[in-house]
Amino acid sequence: MNTVIVKISPDDINNKLIQQAGEIIRQGGLVAFPTETVYGLGANALSEEAAAKIYLAKGRPSDNPLIAHIADMDMLKGLVREIPSVAQKLMDAFWPGPMTLIFDKSEMVPKGTTGGLDTVAIRFPNHPIARELIQAAGVSIAAPSANLSGKPSPTLGEHVIDDMDGRIDMIIDGGMVGMGLESTIVDVTVTPPMILRPGFITYEMIKDVIGDVKIDKAIFTKPEAGLKPKAPGMKYRHYAPSAEFKMYRGEAEKVAEKIILLANEKADEGMKTGVITADQHRYLYENRLHSNITVVSLGDLEKPETIANHLFKTLRDFDKEKTQFIFGETFSEDNVGQAIMNRLTKAAGYNIIDV
Ligand code: TXA
Ligand code: MG
């Protein structure tokens, strides 16, 4: 398939191109587009055939449901059976934005979109291109992250091109996304509501608005532990780089000591080796690692949003360099750190070693 690749600036949206993209969605085709979290791979959420194309393009298991993206509250009403009052509070506080809510679905939403479930995930994104695209399409857009299944979510247009060129109708390259981690998912069909995937909107922020909220414990346990995550997608080994990736937890100096030892050892064996650190700890590695080891800082520990922003790109860059071993520090699990460590822990296949 020939994929049309267009560049659109979020500050100066080319209306003609957006209309063209909206038309592709209406006709049952696939368009990848930027959102404020990660890039999405969009299709008409009300068409089972269109949704089926998403699963095919991504190589995604068919039991893993899609998020329906909306651009106004009228669209929401057609898709859900009811709007619980806690949901209204969350929407008032966080929509449009990086939060997905799970509702009981209406008849209109086909099970081909919801992975066979009677519930539907809905998100009102706050990215100008995403919003204008949904409006141009005139229908809700089902969109998972625009990566091949199992790969890190795309945070740059070039990531989408790497994974989807030749598989879909159009890619809208809108530059780097703002956040870099997928939306927080909250199930509002249960009392109290439950966080099924941590994200930029944190447990504390949600608690402040609705008072009582739980978090799905299965998110933090290895798949082998037998707890089944309530968001089907959370059970898959995600974000995995091709390299063997291990993380080391403890006091910064000791962690660096350990990582330096292990990374140099692997480099000596002729392995392509990488190290993940933070701005504040970079100096600990200076002049102590073999020169052929790639050291990457994910960002500033005082500004966890910088870490979130570089996380998936870093994993993809290591793949591009054909890195075989990655040794990484761990990060704080406070606030947005919970989402950061959730993604890193999965990427590392739950290999966290206390130093
Ligand atoms: O930020 C985001 O949410 C991005 C952008 C593109 O909006 N989308 C995204 O979609 O991350 P995806 O498909 O990569 O992840 C959706 C997650 C999966 O874990 C899926 O299992 C879960 O949402 N999900 C979808 N519908 C659900 C439902 N009805 N009940 C429980 N979990 C659901
Ligand atoms: Mg995904």
Side-chain angles (χ1 to χ4, degrees):
M1 180 189 288
N2 177 45
T3 302
V4 179
I5 300 172
V6 298
K7 270 198 193 311
I8 301 183
S9 159
D11 314 314
D12 178 22
I13 296 180
N14 179 324
N15 193 49
K16 209 170 138 235
L17 289 175
I18 288 285
Q19 291 305 326
Q20 197 186 329
E23 182 59 25
I24 293 174
I25 299 279
R26 266 199 303 282
Q27 300 291 327
L30 301 185
V31 177
F33 60 98
T35 81
E36 73 274 37
T37 56
V38 299
Y39 274 78
L41 173 56
N44 181 350
L46 302 182
S47 157
E48 208 145 58
E49 296 80 51
K53 290 187 194 165
I54 290 182
Y55 288 93
L56 193 67
K58 278 186 61 106
R60 180 178 175 108
S62 63
D63 70 339
N64 190 2
L66 307 175
I67 297 173
H69 294 66
I70 59 170
D72 58 54
M73 288 308 209
D74 281 339
M75 273 190 183
L76 172 69
K77 291 187 189 113
L79 301 173
V80 304
R81 207 174 275 283
E82 58 163 351
I83 300 174
S85 62
V86 280
Q88 191 59 55
K89 285 186 190 154
L90 290 172
M91 295 186 297
D92 291 344
F94 302 117
W95 274 7
M99 186 184 65
T100 297
L101 297 177
I102 310 285
F103 295 91
D104 286 322
K105 77 171 195 68
S106 74
E107 298 295 327
M108 239 167 80
V109 184
K111 287 208 172 173
T113 301
T114 66
L117 299 176
D118 291 318
T119 51
V120 60
I122 308 216
R123 178 156 114 75
F124 187 162
N126 193 19
H127 189 289
I129 295 177
R131 293 176 68 161
E132 295 219 6
L133 173 63
I134 301 163
Q135 255 146 17
V139 289
S140 157
I141 296 184
S145 48
N147 50 284
L148 288 170
S149 199
K151 287 242 230 158
S153 296
T155 54
L156 285 166
E158 76 180 67
H159 296 161
V160 183
I161 296 168
D162 286 346
D163 282 14
M164 291 297 156
D165 192 12
R167 295 174 164 264
I168 63 177
D169 299 286
M170 186 188 254
I171 295 172
I172 300 176
D173 181 347
M176 194 169 186
V177 299
M179 296 174 172
L181 294 180
E182 309 87 343
S183 61
T184 307
I185 303 179
V186 186
D187 185 351
V188 289
T189 67
V190 293
T191 312
M194 187 179 267
I195 298 172
L196 307 188
R197 179 174 73 184
F200 256 79
I201 295 177
T202 63
Y203 173 84
E204 289 77 13
M205 290 161 76
I206 293 169
K207 208 173 157 70
D208 275 350
V209 173
I210 57 173
D212 199 8
V213 60
K214 284 212 159 87
I215 181 153
D216 184 4
K217 288 216 172 59
I219 297 173
F220 307 107
T221 57
K222 288 187 194 186
E224 300 87 272
L227 280 180
K228 200 167 144 215
K230 294 190 172 54
M234 297 295 278
K235 72 173 177 276
Y236 297 106
R237 177 156 186 226
H238 258 123
Y239 321 120
S242 314
E244 187 177 314
F245 174 23
K246 289 193 174 140
M247 287 195 290
Y248 296 83
R249 180 167 50 202
E251 202 194 307
E253 286 78 14
K254 287 195 178 133
V255 165
E257 207 65 52
K258 182 89 184 165
I259 289 178
I260 290 163
L261 188 81
L262 295 168
N264 283 337
E265 228 169 69
K266 283 296 169 201
D268 281 339
E269 291 168 20
M271 302 292 178
K272 189 110 188 78
T273 305
V275 167
I276 292 180
T277 179
D279 292 354
Q280 283 84 345
H281 297 157
R282 237 198 146 104
Y283 77 96
L284 294 169
Y285 300 87
E286 240 139 62
N287 302 321
R288 299 182 67 197
L289 284 169
H290 294 351
S291 59
N292 55 352
I293 295 174
T294 308
V295 186
V296 180
S297 166
L298 283 189
D300 181 346
L301 296 172
E302 302 292 323
K303 298 189 191 112
E305 62 285 0
T306 59
I307 294 169
N309 208 255
H310 293 124
L311 200 160
F312 290 145
K313 177 183 188 300
T314 301
L315 296 178
R316 279 184 177 258
D317 287 346
F318 276 131
D319 270 359
K320 276 195 190 149
E321 288 182 16
K322 304 215 169 4
T323 306
Q324 292 161 292
F325 286 87
I326 305 171
F327 299 94
E329 298 177 2
T330 56
F331 294 82
S332 155
E333 294 190 35
D334 293 343
N335 304 310
V336 71
Q338 188 168 53
I340 291 170
M341 278 305 290
N342 167 255
R343 308 309 193 272
L344 278 173
T345 304
K346 285 184 149 219
Y350 300 86
N351 276 309
I352 300 182
I353 295 120
D354 284 304
V355 179

